[in-house]
Structure formats: C-alpha cells, structure tokens
Amino acid sequence: MIDLMPRLDETSGEALYMQLYRYIRDEIAAGRIPANVRLPSIRTLSAYLGVSRSPVALAYEQLLAEGYVNSRPRSGLYAAELDTSASLEVQTEAAAERSAVSPSPKRAYHASQDEPFRYDFGYGSVDIASFPLAKWRRLMNRCLLPENSRLLLYGDLQGEPELRAEIAAYLHHMRGVRCQPEQIVVGAGTYHSLDLLFQLLREDVACIASEEAVNDGVKALFGQFRFDCRPLRLESDGICLEELQASGAQAVYVTPSHQFPYGMTLSAGKRLKLLQWAKERRAYIVENDYDGEFRYSGRPIPSLQSLDDDGRVIYVGTFSRALTPAFRLSYLVLPPALLARFRSRRHSYDQLASPIFQMTQQLFMQSGDFGRHVRKMRSVYHKKRDALLHAVRDAFPAGVEMIGADSGLHLLLRVRGDKNEAELVRAAAREGVGVYPASAYRLRPESDEAPTVLLGFGGLSETDIREGVRHLARACMENGIFSK
Ligand SMILES: Cc1ncc(COP(=O)(O)O)c(C=O)c1O
C-alpha cells in the first residue's frame, strides 16, 4: 500500500472525511502520490487508519468529483494526472472548501456526521413512491423468459435497436428532436455518454466553451480530457454570446432548457444565434437536456437539436429524472459526421447499458406506459414545486429570492445578507436539513454572489418539503443569516 500518513484529529471540530480529503488532495497536487498510483480500498484504508468506512468513502467521493482521482472499473481509484497548465480553473482553497461542504448533493449524507439528513434537498432524488414497480416487475420478468435468452449475452454496441426506435419516437414527440434510430447511442448514464462523446470530439476540439457553472461530473470530464475550457458568463437568458464569440472554442457545452444548476432557460433569440455561431465556425453544440420533460409554466420549450439544420448539435438525454437513476440509461443523438466516426471506431467501445434493462425500458415505452408515467410525474413534481415555493414564501422574509423554478426538479434559493454560503449550509445541516452550495459548480470563482443554495425537491414528500423549509428558515434566523 502507498504511504498515507494523515494526521486525523477527532477533536478539531472538522469532519474526519474533510481532513482526509484535504490530506490526499494535497499529496496528489504536490506529486507525493504520483499520477496513476492506486489508492488503497476503502476497507483497507479505514482499517489502517482505525476509522469507520464512511469518512474514507466520503473523502474518496469528493476527490473523484473534483477530478483528483479516477475510477477504473473493477480495479479501484487512481491518482489523476493533474495538468496545472490547463486553463480549466484549479479550484482555490476557498472554492474547494465550499464545494466540500456537501460531499454528494445527489445522495443523502450528513455533511459532518455521516448520517442522512432528516430533510435532504439533494438534487438527484426522484419520487420513488411513484415508481411503477408492478409494471416494471412484470416487464422485466418477460425479458427473462427463455425466448428472450439472447438478452443474457452482449447486446448491440450502439444499444438495442428496438429501444433506439422507441427513444427516437419519444424524443420527437416530447422534445421535438429530429433523428433516426440509427443516430442514437445508448449509454449507462450521462457521464458515460459524455465520456464517449468527448472521445469522438477530441479529434476536432481542443478548446471547449461552457456555461460557467456545470455539474461536477461534467467538470471532471473537462479536466480528464484536458480541454482548454472557456467558462461563459451566465445571464438571465443563458450564456453570454459575446464571450462565446471571443472564445475561439470549437465546441460549447450547454443545458439550454434548464441550466444546471442556475435554472435559467436559453432564450429563443440566443438559441438562433448559438446555432448560427456553430454553423459559421463548424463548431459543435453539446446540448444536455437532462430534465427537459418537466416544465411547469409557459409553453414547453423544444430542444435546440430540433432547430438545427446543419448537424451541429449533439443531444444528450437520460432516463434518470423522468424514471429513475437506478437503471443507468442515457442516450446520445449523434449528427451524421460523428455517427460515421463512432461507427468507424465502434470496436473500441463497449455497450455498458444492460440489454435486460434496455429491453424492459423498450417494452415500457412501447406500451405507452412511459409517456403516461412522465405526464403523471409532471403533475406530481408540479405540486411539490408549488409546495416548496409556498413554504419559502411563508417562512422567509422578502430578502430571499427563488431562481429557476419554472422547470426541473430543483430550484435555487438566494439569501441576501453578510454571511457566506458555507455558513448557511452548516447552519441548515445542524437543523437536519441538507442544502447544497451553488458555487461548488462554478468553473471559476464568483466573488460577490449572495449565498445561493440548491434545493432539490423530487425525492421529498410535500409534507417534508414544508417541514424542511421551516427548519431551514429557523436555522437561518437563529444564525443571523437573515432576520425577520
Ligand atoms: C446536469 C445533469 N445532467 C445529467 C444528470 C443525470 O445524470 P445521469 O444520467 O448520470 O444519472 C444530472 C443529474 O442530476 C444532472 O444534474
């Protein structure tokens, strides 16, 4: 095992995972743990240090999210090669601290005590009580009948053709996407799909522009692919196009229907200009439409891909929000040039999405039940979103702003005052409420933004939403984050 000698101080008041994360991060950054060296397993390191597994797991998770380590399937975690010359911002100590306040906003962990929050507003949860268990059980059983035994073998490298046909029809109907099933490549989650896409793009793209705040998985991929990354300022109607024009980028990453995490929608005018930019520069637009099904006010906004006549948009979608993240099913819609590249190299990729889950999802879509499920969930989430809006209005005074509430399964709460985000997150945690700092998603630090936290509402009941907000308001009041 490599030498790891962290000084862990249980009396310091700082969570153990944080001390361990910071120690390993600094060892990697200083080259004392060289690139490509394997880290000990969670079990080995926790036994060695005499601590429980949770702090080690949380520290590893944070290192992974920030790109200090890479995960290799069936092998473990390896120190990443850090390219300090890359223009992707290396997080400052303060920014790293802010993002480390909440180890995994997708999952429910208590920041300091390794216990789940009583009210967890993590953004990755969905309403599992509404999951159509009986239907899925029945359809999955069908997949396991002897006549479907081919599903026990490797499937089509691009994804099962019958599922691709269903996805193409669904995307056309729901998001206006224009494509043939042949253009679809099924993946095992958005980051797997993006990883594959970036392998295809890397040949033409050295410099990628991006919304200045992105999901941590996307941030890690930009680093891993060593893109020269140009963060673009976010305005109330989406990315700043002047910055894009000046960036010299050959591709841009956007979440136009519901910016992650800030929630704004890319305006119609900017959509057209963005497409024009891509056409003129022969650049690519990566459109991540992760929760485009859920829009609560105004007209549904069709995808950017639906407006693209020049094969410049790559559409990325997932079933994680509309159904559940557990089946790990996502998809890319490749324009013709990239499809040809994928095909010419297809021998070098494995299909990671299970044929059994793929066929079950295909049957679920074919029966019309998936469309019904999405419509039902839109109404379920609409009610939860309303419960959250009302609860915040009732419990907080006027100095609080809610952003990005028109769509998706999360919104942002911005609190004016002289405290910082970390204080807000910690105060909430002490009240058993999990909220997540928006600044953790920034590619470059923002100095004067008022404390802004992410509140995911998909996984909480309406009652828990109301209760959670009451506790959050109390935490804010008692800690002077705002006063009535
Ligand atoms: C921006 C963004 N894209 C995609 C996803 C879904 O990821 P996956 O398909 O890996 O579950 C999420 C999940 O919360 C997200 O925030």
Side-chain angles (χ1 to χ4, degrees), residues 283-415:
Y284 284 111
I285 301 170
V286 181
E287 173 180 24
N288 181 357
D289 196 30
Y290 63 104
D291 64 6
E293 290 94 344
F294 300 114
R295 185 158 181 89
Y296 311 118
S297 33
R299 275 188 296 143
I301 298 174
S303 63
L304 256 184
Q305 200 272 5
S306 68
L307 303 171
D308 174 27
D309 293 324
D310 304 288
R312 305 322 305 171
V313 177
I314 303 128
Y315 182 91
V316 189
T318 178
F319 289 115
S320 289
R321 293 297 175 94
L323 189 60
T324 161
F327 303 137
R328 311 308 302 130
L329 286 175
S330 58
Y331 39 86
L332 292 172
V333 180
L334 295 178
L338 288 179
L339 180 63
R341 191 173 291 172
F342 172 81
R343 292 220 163 122
S344 71
R345 297 200 200 155
R346 48 187 296 155
H347 58 277
S348 56
Y349 305 119
D350 259 339
Q351 174 52 248
L352 293 188
S354 151
I356 296 173
F357 283 117
Q358 288 188 59
M359 183 174 167
T360 313
Q361 175 64 6
Q362 172 230 319
L363 295 173
F364 189 51
M365 294 177 95
Q366 212 170 29
S367 65
D369 282 331
F370 179 60
R372 278 187 283 279
H373 179 71
V374 171
R375 284 191 291 279
K376 172 179 149 190
M377 295 318 294
R378 200 179 287 140
S379 136
V380 167
Y381 291 136
H382 198 159
K383 286 191 189 130
K384 291 189 185 201
R385 196 274 322 235
D386 287 351
L388 180 53
L389 291 181
H390 290 139
V392 171
R393 276 188 207 125
D394 289 348
F396 282 82
V400 162
E401 194 186 344
M402 279 173 288
I403 307 165
D406 285 343
S407 43
L409 307 189
H410 75 271
L411 54 79
L412 285 108
L413 189 71
R414 184 167 285 163
V415 182

Side-chain angles (χ1 to χ4, degrees), residues 106 123-124 189-191 215 253 260 288 290 318 320-321 325 328:
K106 282 187 180 171
Y123 70 79
T190 301
Y191 305 110
N215 193 298
Y253 168 85
F260 187 89
N288 181 357
Y290 63 104
T318 178
S320 289
R321 293 297 175 94
R328 311 308 302 130

Side-chain angles (χ1 to χ4, degrees), residues 74-123:
R74 291 182 295 280
S75 177
L77 291 184
Y78 288 76
E81 256 169 62
L82 299 182
D83 181 7
T84 45
S85 65
S87 73
L88 178 64
E89 187 235 339
V90 176
Q91 286 197 327
T92 60
E93 183 80 4
E97 228 170 81
R98 280 199 302 276
S99 67
V101 170
S102 38
S104 176
K106 282 187 180 171
R107 292 191 207 129
Y109 286 121
H110 195 292
S112 58
Q113 295 159 16
D114 307 338
E115 272 172 23
F117 290 113
R118 169 70 187 88
Y119 306 101
D120 193 328
F121 287 92
Y123 70 79

Side-chain angles (χ1 to χ4, degrees), residues 168-343:
Y170 168 76
L171 289 181
H172 184 64
H173 174 67
M174 199 66 108
R175 307 293 304 124
V177 170
R178 294 173 293 166
C179 72
Q180 299 300 318
E182 293 69 37
Q183 288 172 260
I184 292 178
V185 180
V186 175
T190 301
Y191 305 110
H192 168 235
S193 287
L194 284 175
D195 187 328
L196 196 151
L197 172 64
F198 288 165
Q199 290 179 43
L200 298 174
L201 284 183
R202 195 65 184 86
E203 208 168 293
D204 306 323
V205 177
C207 177
I208 191 164
S210 167
E211 294 167 344
E212 65 185 331
V214 298
N215 193 298
D216 35 18
V218 175
K219 197 192 278 192
L221 282 172
F222 287 160
Q224 279 159 29
F225 278 85
R226 292 161 174 265
F227 284 123
D228 175 3
C229 180
R230 303 292 162 92
L232 305 174
R233 189 155 43 81
L234 284 165
E235 301 168 333
S236 60
D237 59 350
I239 50 168
C240 170
L241 288 175
E242 289 74 31
E243 287 189 5
L244 176 64
Q245 296 284 0
S247 69
Q250 295 100 20
V252 61
Y253 168 85
V254 283
T255 47
S257 306
H258 188 221
Q259 201 284 327
F260 187 89
Y262 283 94
M264 64 278 284
T265 305
L266 189 70
S267 64
K270 281 194 172 176
R271 281 169 193 251
L272 297 178
K273 287 188 188 142
L274 180 57
L275 289 165
Q276 189 61 25
W277 168 84
K279 183 179 175 182
E280 282 166 14
R281 306 275 171 116
R282 302 195 56 71
Y284 284 111
I285 301 170
V286 181
E287 173 180 24
N288 181 357
D289 196 30
Y290 63 104
D291 64 6
E293 290 94 344
F294 300 114
R295 185 158 181 89
Y296 311 118
S297 33
R299 275 188 296 143
I301 298 174
S303 63
L304 256 184
Q305 200 272 5
S306 68
L307 303 171
D308 174 27
D309 293 324
D310 304 288
R312 305 322 305 171
V313 177
I314 303 128
Y315 182 91
V316 189
T318 178
F319 289 115
S320 289
R321 293 297 175 94
L323 189 60
T324 161
F327 303 137
R328 311 308 302 130
L329 286 175
S330 58
Y331 39 86
L332 292 172
V333 180
L334 295 178
L338 288 179
L339 180 63
R341 191 173 291 172
F342 172 81
R343 292 220 163 122

Side-chain angles (χ1 to χ4, degrees), residues 101 418-430 451 475 479 481:
V101 170
D418 50 10
K419 302 279 177 173
N420 65 30
E421 239 171 51
E423 286 170 292
L424 169 53
V425 172
R426 274 198 298 269
R430 284 195 294 274
N479 290 278
I481 288 160

